Amino acid sequence: MSAHLAEKIRSHGVETYPHECCGALLGRDSESESHDAVREVLALLPLVNRRDDSPRNRFSVTAEDVLEADRAAQQQGLEIIGWYHSHPDHPARPSQYDRDHAWPWYSYIIVSVQNGAPQDMTSWHLNDDRREFLQEGIEIRQRAAV
Ligand SMILES: [Zn+2]
């Protein structure tokens, strides 16, 4: 993803601090020159965290969010490839809640926000038996490839 989008995820986390932010990752799957699977984030759709009960450590994506994200993706010729959220004052590692509520296939980006300042950003996906999150690398491009 571009440095610009990475920055947008971080600033969304700062904006909603001490609550969690969340949003959709829009983009596409492709292949690198060495034929490795590459997932490109090309746009974001910030969402409202609807967890009124516990917005500091929970986020939830509703069916309406998925529809809205899907519409936004289609308009741009992209698809939903994952979701991002922040961890206020917690490390950028998935919680038990995150694992229990994750869907297969999607990438989950987590940004840690400590005392209102963005820290690590990590990305995860469920392994094949859906019991464990595996970390995946994030490559930040300084300039958009044309
Ligand atoms: Zn989380």
Side-chain angles (χ1 to χ4, degrees):
M1 88 173 103
S2 68
H4 172 68
L5 291 183
E7 191 48 44
K8 271 174 87 169
I9 294 177
R10 292 194 183 95
S11 22
H12 193 196
V14 169
E15 252 169 62
T16 59
Y17 181 90
H19 294 170
E20 286 197 9
C21 73
C22 61
L25 307 170
L26 311 182
R28 62 171 74 104
D29 282 326
S30 55
E31 264 185 11
S32 72
E33 279 164 27
S34 49
H35 302 288
D36 294 324
V38 173
R39 186 161 260 191
E40 261 189 304
V41 184
L42 296 165
L44 301 174
L45 182 74
L47 297 167
V48 174
N49 187 354
R50 298 177 205 274
R51 287 298 297 235
D52 295 332
D53 54 337
S54 172
R56 280 165 184 269
N57 55 16
R58 299 282 153 89
F59 78 102
S60 66
V61 172
T62 64
E64 294 82 62
D65 291 332
V66 176
L67 273 178
E68 192 189 334
D70 203 41
R71 247 194 318 263
Q74 279 182 24
Q75 278 168 4
Q76 301 171 70
L78 305 172
E79 51 185 327
I80 307 173
I81 54 173
W83 307 91
Y84 71 87
H85 71 285
S86 63
H87 277 182
D89 298 321
H90 282 281
R93 301 191 65 82
S95 63
Q96 180 71 37
Y97 176 90
D98 291 338
R99 205 188 67 192
D100 292 345
H101 291 79
W103 296 307
W105 189 78
Y106 289 123
S107 291
Y108 288 86
I109 287 184
I110 301 177
V111 61
S112 168
V113 182
Q114 302 280 342
N115 295 314
Q119 308 290 327
D120 293 347
M121 191 158 77
T122 56
S123 184
W124 307 80
H125 67 270
L126 281 180
N127 69 350
D128 290 336
D129 64 11
R130 303 177 58 169
R131 298 170 68 114
E132 218 185 339
F133 259 127
L134 303 175
Q135 189 165 5
E136 47 191 18
I138 303 182
E139 205 178 303
I140 311 269
R141 277 197 316 268
Q142 294 307 317
R143 248 181 338 154
V146 179

